[in-house]
């Protein structure tokens, strides 16, 4: 059986690559994946899978024709706040697959926000015609429930991603703190300057070695390069493309300060203390679910001293998730694997 995998893959985003790595890890053994990618060669080499350029209409059509199923890989694909094109691309592809009679699975979706009537309509139609659906948060489940579309809800699959040890990590000074920031309109120059000042004070007080992790080079590298000169000999920029290595980094750190959703999930899943800087409802949902401390960027304190003191307090006295909590989240994340098994069981 051949399944075409569609998501924000091959675009250098650590979170989306982690979702792809987890999906490949969870796919039943009799299903052969074909991945639609923004960088087909890199995806093919990294995961040892067949690939196709996601923006090449004819090859995509041929890939659909030669497949038995289409899987909408995880994440916030169906939302129209950051891009109107995104839901039309994914929704159009799903509608086409359904028209062609393929089995269609929406896997580990974070749905919305959907503010435009036409994208809401397209989402409702395509989700309504899916063979199976799993979502990763309550808001997505509530939206589908309003539409009377059945789904299962389970934590983000990346909770269950296997990590790999990072060569050289244990040679770096300890203790270590990981920082993951991304470019965003809410991360203004003033806020970045305040966060940088706070990070310098926090480092001096804790004597921690700071690991600056760009999860998506095109979005994040310029930010960590702006911060690093202020932390000359006490920090390192770690550019890791392999999501299993990215997750492995957090096994060697005491605390993670992060904007990116999957940096916080990876860190929390290996028992690391986490402090969130939210730019998006999906990060707020994670903070609520895990009672994770943090700030909305829009309400970040103006005083760098207050920021660094808050971080120090959490570094000294904050609790990571307990092994029991982590195991429960991992076990429930494996429901996404169960959904794939049900969708592709040999006899249906």
């Amino acid at each position: 059986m051949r399944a075409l995998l569609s998501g924000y893959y091959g675009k250098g985003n650590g979170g989306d690559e982690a979702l792809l790595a987890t999906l490949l890890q969870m796919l039943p053994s009799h299903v052969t994946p074909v991945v639609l990618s923004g960088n087909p060669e890199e995806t093919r080499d990294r995961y040892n899978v067949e690939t196709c350029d996601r923006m090449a209409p004819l090859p995509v059509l041929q890939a659909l024709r030669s497949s038995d199923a289409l899987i909408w890989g995880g994440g916030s694909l169906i939302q129209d706040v950051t891009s109107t094109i995104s839901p039309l691309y994914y929704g159009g592809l799903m509608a086409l697959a359904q028209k062609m009679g393929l089995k269609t699975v929406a896997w580990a979706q974070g749905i919305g926000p959907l503010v435009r009537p036409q994208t809401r309509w397209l989402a409702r139609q395509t989700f309504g015609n899916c063979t199976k659906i799993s979502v990763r948060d309550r808001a997505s489940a509530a939206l589908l429930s309003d539409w009377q579309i059945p789904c299962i809800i389970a934590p983000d699959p990346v909770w269950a991603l296997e990590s790999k040890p990072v060569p050289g990590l244990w040679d770096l000074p300890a203790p270590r703190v990981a920082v993951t920031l991304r470019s965003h309109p809410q991360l203004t120059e003033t806020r970045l300057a305040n966060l940088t000042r706070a990070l310098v004070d926090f480092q001096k007080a804790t004597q921690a070695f700071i690991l600056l992790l760009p999860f998506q080079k095109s979005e994040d590298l310029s930010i960590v390069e702006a911060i690093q000169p202020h932390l000359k000999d006490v920090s390192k920029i770690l550019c890791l493309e392999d999501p299993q290595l990215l997750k492995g980094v957090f096994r060697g750190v005491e605390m993670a300060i992060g904007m990116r959703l999957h940096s916080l999930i990876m860190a929390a899943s290996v028992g690391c203390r986490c402090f969130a800087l939210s730019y998006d409802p999906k990060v707020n949902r994670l903070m609520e679910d895990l009672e994770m401390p943090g700030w909305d960027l829009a309400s970040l304190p103006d005083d760098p001293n207050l920021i660094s003191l808050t971080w120090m307090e959490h570094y000294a006295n904050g609790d990571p998730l307990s092994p029991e909590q982590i195991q429960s989240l991992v076990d429930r994340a494996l429901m996404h694997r169960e959904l794939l098994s049900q969708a592709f069981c040999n006899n249906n």
Side-chain angles (χ1 to χ4, degrees):
M1 189 168 201
R2 285 166 65 83
L4 196 60
L5 276 46
S6 169
Y8 193 64
Y9 307 141
K11 305 292 277 184
N13 181 311
D16 291 286
E17 292 303 307
L19 285 163
L20 174 57
T22 314
L23 174 52
L24 292 170
Q25 187 182 297
M26 289 185 175
L27 213 53
S29 58
H30 68 279
V31 178
T32 301
V34 182
V35 181
L36 294 178
S37 173
N39 188 334
E41 294 78 18
E42 185 183 85
T43 302
R44 183 193 63 215
D45 295 345
R46 180 175 299 148
Y47 303 106
N48 194 25
V49 289
E50 202 178 315
T51 57
C52 171
D53 184 339
R54 72 199 288 272
M55 297 311 281
L58 206 57
V60 169
L61 193 58
Q62 286 165 339
L64 277 168
R65 284 202 182 115
S66 68
S67 297
D68 306 289
L70 173 74
I71 302 173
W72 256 347
S76 304
L77 304 179
I78 310 302
Q79 52 82 22
D80 57 12
V81 172
T82 58
S83 159
T84 327
I85 295 163
S86 174
L88 295 177
Y89 169 84
Y90 294 111
L93 195 62
M94 182 61 94
L96 183 59
Q98 289 169 344
K99 213 175 183 63
M100 292 168 73
L102 273 71
K103 190 173 281 206
T104 51
V105 176
W107 180 81
Q109 291 293 303
I111 310 164
L114 291 166
V115 293
R116 293 175 175 81
Q118 60 270 43
T119 46
R120 280 184 83 83
W121 178 86
L122 180 62
R124 189 171 183 167
Q125 294 298 114
T126 49
F127 278 109
N129 291 322
C130 279
T131 313
K132 293 274 183 189
I133 303 171
S134 67
V135 297
R136 65 180 187 184
D137 62 81
R138 290 190 302 271
S140 301
L143 181 61
L144 291 178
S145 173
D146 285 348
W147 293 344
Q148 297 179 322
I149 297 170
C151 68
I152 68 153
I153 176 170
D156 191 290
V158 173
W159 283 97
L161 175 66
E162 291 159 10
S163 66
K164 283 184 195 161
V166 180
L169 177 63
W170 300 97
D171 300 331
L172 296 173
R176 305 175 198 95
V177 169
V179 178
T180 308
L181 301 178
R182 56 156 291 165
S183 68
H184 192 268
Q186 288 183 11
L187 186 61
T188 58
E189 274 184 44
T190 305
R191 285 184 186 133
L192 180 57
N194 286 340
L195 287 170
T196 304
R197 182 73 254 159
L199 202 53
V200 169
D201 294 345
F202 170 80
Q203 191 284 322
K204 280 182 184 150
T206 58
Q207 291 297 293
F209 189 79
I210 308 296
L211 297 176
L212 299 163
L213 294 176
F215 254 56
Q216 184 173 10
K217 271 193 194 170
S218 60
E219 298 278 323
D220 308 358
L221 190 57
S222 58
I223 290 172
V224 297
E225 285 177 340
I227 294 170
Q228 219 234 344
H230 300 275
L231 295 158
K232 269 210 177 71
D233 302 317
V234 290
S235 69
K236 184 178 173 67
I237 296 173
L238 274 187
C239 291
L240 298 166
E241 302 280 322
D242 182 329
Q244 290 178 285
L245 287 175
L246 265 178
K247 191 169 184 178
V249 169
F250 295 101
R251 290 198 177 277
V253 305
E254 299 297 316
M255 178 167 136
I257 298 167
M259 277 176 71
R260 287 199 175 270
L261 176 75
H262 284 101
S263 71
L264 295 165
I265 289 173
M266 288 179 181
S269 72
V270 296
C272 184
R273 293 179 197 84
C274 296
F275 193 96
L277 299 167
S278 178
Y279 68 98
D280 188 284
K282 64 189 178 187
V283 181
N284 290 77
R285 287 174 203 151
L286 183 74
M287 290 164 71
E288 282 166 32
D289 289 346
L290 302 184
E291 297 179 358
M292 182 185 288
W295 286 297
D296 263 23
L297 270 183
S299 54
L300 184 76
D302 294 329
D303 178 5
N305 195 38
L306 175 57
I307 299 172
S308 65
L309 285 171
T310 307
W311 287 345
M312 280 178 231
E313 166 62 25
H314 188 56
Y315 179 80
N317 301 314
D319 290 318
L321 294 180
S322 71
E324 293 76 22
Q325 285 173 301
I326 293 168
Q327 194 56 56
S328 168
L329 284 154
V330 170
D331 290 345
R332 286 188 291 127
L334 291 171
M335 290 166 69
H336 297 291
R337 184 176 68 185
E338 184 54 35
L339 178 105
L340 293 169
S341 297
Q342 291 168 5
F344 299 118
C345 65
N346 288 317
N347 61 2
N348 76 2

